[in-house]
Amino acid sequence: MIGSPMAAKVTSVQVFGFIKTVTGAPISGASVAFTNNKGVTVRPTVNSNSDGSYKQTEIPVRKALKIIPTKSPFSFKSKFLFIGIVNKQVDFVGK
């Protein structure tokens, strides 16, 4: 149909979340890295804010992503997930 609008193709999304202690206190200044399944950096590392929040934009869709938070003296479990076409919240707890 001539002149009909086409839906925009989604090529990237944002990943965001909170990094907190087991008691729910925010962990600020944690580094959060974003790699693919081969360990290659997908997007630059970001740091969590004073409320424990972090956000990274322009994450490629339809790709595997590993999110790796770090901050001494805490230990975290990194998360490996598949990025679809919607923004994704991924939270972490430091022990």
Side-chain angles (χ1 to χ4, degrees):
M1 191 153 113
I2 297 174
S4 65
M6 298 279 294
K9 183 179 178 182
V10 176
T11 58
S12 66
V13 296
Q14 70 178 2
V15 173
F16 60 94
F18 290 92
I19 302 174
K20 298 188 175 190
T21 65
V22 293
T23 61
I27 299 175
S28 65
S31 295
V32 184
F34 303 87
T35 67
N36 65 16
N37 58 344
K38 295 180 181 176
V40 176
T41 299
V42 173
R43 294 289 296 143
T45 296
V46 298
N47 292 315
S48 59
N49 298 315
S50 60
D51 65 353
S53 67
Y54 75 92
K55 176 175 74 170
Q56 180 55 279
T57 59
E58 299 183 28
I59 301 289
V61 298
R62 297 182 179 88
K63 304 279 183 186
L65 180 71
K66 187 174 187 178
I67 305 173
I68 310 159
T70 55
K71 182 171 182 176
S72 184
F74 299 99
S75 63
F76 300 92
K77 288 186 179 180
S78 57
K79 295 187 180 179
F80 193 73
L81 55 135
F82 184 80
I83 300 298
I85 59 171
V86 296
N87 294 334
K88 186 84 171 170
Q89 180 168 351
V90 183
D91 298 326
F92 294 93
V93 175
K95 297 181 180 177

